[in-house]
Amino acid sequence: MTNRLIRRAAALGAAIVLGGGAALAGASPAQAYGCYYGTADVTSPEGGRGATAAGRLCVNEYGNAWLDTNTNNYIKDLKADGYGARAYIYWNQRYTGAIAFDDTSTSGPAKLSWESGGGTRYLWTELWVCLGYARPEDYTSRCSLVVYAS
């Protein structure tokens, strides 16, 4: 299986087990162009919720993607565990980021903002939240898929 298919299967499996709406809604074959909203938490290595994120991700038929600026897109570190929260975007077959960082020394969440720029034929786009220096392509429990669009 390709990495992309593995990520899709993992997201669907997590949605079924955890009841998450973002990945389950995104698994529909009817999903194509438009905007999709999701939230996710990452567990701290010390236990409990370590970070949370929310975002509305949009794609169009021209291969452009962006985080909807009319939505409260954010990442928030929830625990003083030494692992800051970072947000990453998967677009055009590669990861971009961290596009934002938050740790418990800040009073509020960090806002997320991102646009893809030029179009691509690879329309699959994902928003991830990770703790510490973990990255989505590491496939560890310190990252969680927030929302994806295809």
Side-chain angles (χ1 to χ4, degrees), residues 8 25-37 57-66 122-125 147-150:
R8 284 183 187 178
S28 166
Q31 181 181 8
Y33 315 119
C35 295
Y36 307 93
Y37 181 79
L57 190 58
C58 301
V59 297
N60 67 21
E61 66 271 22
Y62 305 109
N64 297 307
W66 63 95
Y122 304 105
L123 299 180
W124 191 267
T125 307
V147 63
Y148 66 91
S150 62

Side-chain angles (χ1 to χ4, degrees), residues 45-124:
E46 295 182 358
R49 291 173 56 207
T52 189
R56 184 169 175 85
L57 190 58
C58 301
V59 297
N60 67 21
E61 66 271 22
Y62 305 109
N64 297 307
W66 63 95
L67 285 168
D68 183 3
T69 57
N70 295 318
T71 302
N72 184 18
N73 303 303
Y74 67 88
I75 185 168
K76 174 86 176 134
D77 188 21
L78 301 173
K79 194 170 200 169
D81 54 10
Y83 297 91
R86 289 175 170 77
Y88 294 89
I89 293 283
Y90 177 82
W91 179 77
N92 198 17
Q93 296 191 307
R94 65 179 172 269
Y95 288 96
T96 302
I99 62 167
F101 172 78
D102 186 58
D103 64 22
T104 53
S105 67
T106 61
S107 60
K111 293 226 177 255
L112 301 179
S113 175
W114 177 80
E115 288 184 50
S116 67
T120 177
R121 63 187 177 97
Y122 304 105
L123 299 180
W124 191 267

